[in-house]
Amino acid sequence: REVLSARRMNAPPSWSSERYRIDGEVRAPVLGIWFWSGWDEETDQRVMLKCMRRSETPRELLECFEEEGRVVANLAHPNGLRLLERLDAGGWHVHVYELEGAETLDDKLYRGRLTVEQSLPVVQQVVDALVCLHSRGLAHGYAHPANILVRPDGHVKVTGFAYGWEQFHTLVRPFSAPEHALRNERTQRGDVYLIGGLLWRALVGEPYVTASTDEQLVEFHKSPPEPDIGARVAGTPRRLQRLVRRCLS
């Protein structure tokens, strides 16, 4: 499993920086984006360097990458991962983020499902970040567990404001709203669906959407099962059952 800590890199970076000392990999590369961990020599803090090689990346993905940087820079919310710097170096587009010793919610859930008491504070902080994003007329579309970081003290950071580069990657598919799956539309309503999917995954221990291919995803949304979380998790409060049902309906 990939945890937010330095580990051996798949390949060393082809550029260097006097300010940032790269010492490991945060997670394996995804669709041409590399995630390196390092140290900011000026501020004496851990950082994550999210990098995309200019010469090997389609133009539309580079545009999505830069759009993500602009959105995060303007978000300024305590539950959004803070962007420290954007730079070009040695043929790479680089975004430098804070790195606070967190782990992804995906890694946390890999060890087992959460209780109601454990789940609600995490999901509430995700909602707070999305409400801030929605107030700017935007939608996230990719707030799945691998894009949610949880610090040891319980503080949550939402990442992955990528606006299209993930598409139907295997991490995204189990949390894709119907309009995203059927028409590739990212909407604020779709983010509400994501919240229901997060609660279902955290409490039940498996995704609500069961599809391993894009074709199966389309078929699932044509005739989805009743999102009755109370039938899956005994003792789920009725208000929470209603909330999950409304989000996923």
Side-chain angles (χ1 to χ4, degrees):
R1 303 296 294 173
E2 297 164 2
V3 182
L4 283 178
S5 59
R7 58 192 179 91
R8 186 176 63 82
M9 289 178 280
N10 284 321
S14 59
W15 61 273
S16 61
S17 167
E18 293 183 0
R19 177 171 178 177
Y20 302 111
R21 174 168 49 85
I22 298 173
D23 57 16
E25 199 174 45
V26 171
R27 58 182 283 190
V30 177
L31 296 179
I33 296 182
W34 296 71
F35 303 83
W36 290 318
S37 62
W39 196 263
D40 186 339
E41 301 286 2
E42 291 187 12
T43 62
D44 198 34
Q45 66 175 331
R46 298 286 298 164
V47 293
M48 177 179 73
L49 298 100
K50 190 172 181 180
C51 313
M52 182 173 278
R53 196 192 303 268
R54 189 184 305 113
S55 63
E56 299 179 0
T57 306
R59 179 178 176 181
E60 59 271 21
L61 291 186
L62 285 173
E63 291 174 351
C64 289
F65 187 75
E66 291 306 310
E67 175 66 11
E68 177 186 24
R70 288 189 290 271
V71 170
V72 174
N74 294 321
L75 185 60
H77 189 275
N79 294 117
L81 194 65
R82 190 161 56 101
L83 178 64
L84 304 177
E85 185 178 13
R86 296 159 63 191
L87 55 95
D88 286 338
W92 292 81
H93 288 287
V94 182
H95 293 172
V96 184
Y97 291 90
E98 61 186 345
L99 183 61
E100 305 183 50
E103 68 173 340
T104 67
L105 180 59
D106 193 47
D107 285 312
K108 184 179 282 289
L109 293 174
Y110 181 75
R111 298 194 296 270
R113 65 185 187 182
L114 305 182
T115 65
V116 171
E117 292 75 15
Q118 293 170 324
S119 300
L120 290 182
V122 172
V123 176
Q124 180 61 63
Q125 292 177 75
V126 176
V127 170
D128 291 344
L130 294 181
V131 167
C132 180
L133 188 68
H134 291 182
S135 71
R136 289 159 168 75
L138 302 171
H140 192 295
Y142 301 106
H144 52 74
N147 278 338
I148 297 169
L149 311 181
V150 185
R151 292 191 325 211
D153 64 0
H155 190 78
V156 168
K157 295 283 188 176
V158 179
T159 71
F161 299 87
Y163 289 90
W165 69 267
E166 290 193 86
Q167 298 181 357
F168 290 143
H169 189 269
T170 53
L171 294 173
V172 181
R173 192 178 292 115
F175 301 92
S176 296
E179 59 269 31
H180 196 177
L182 301 176
R183 297 184 297 277
N184 198 24
E185 297 175 359
R186 290 187 313 283
T187 65
Q188 294 181 358
R189 176 64 185 84
D191 284 345
V192 174
Y193 187 94
L194 275 164
I195 293 300
L198 285 175
L199 284 168
W200 186 282
R201 172 68 180 88
L203 295 171
V204 176
E206 60 187 41
Y208 169 68
V209 177
T210 54
S212 57
T213 67
D214 294 346
E215 291 75 17
Q216 291 176 3
L217 180 64
V218 170
E219 290 303 314
F220 177 93
H221 282 303
K222 287 181 179 178
S223 183
E226 174 68 21
D228 184 3
I229 198 169
R232 300 293 303 273
V233 183
T236 303
R238 295 201 175 196
R239 289 182 62 185
L240 184 54
Q241 293 183 43
R242 290 195 295 270
L243 173 63
V244 172
R245 184 177 292 108
R246 289 185 63 184
C247 288
L248 294 175
S249 297

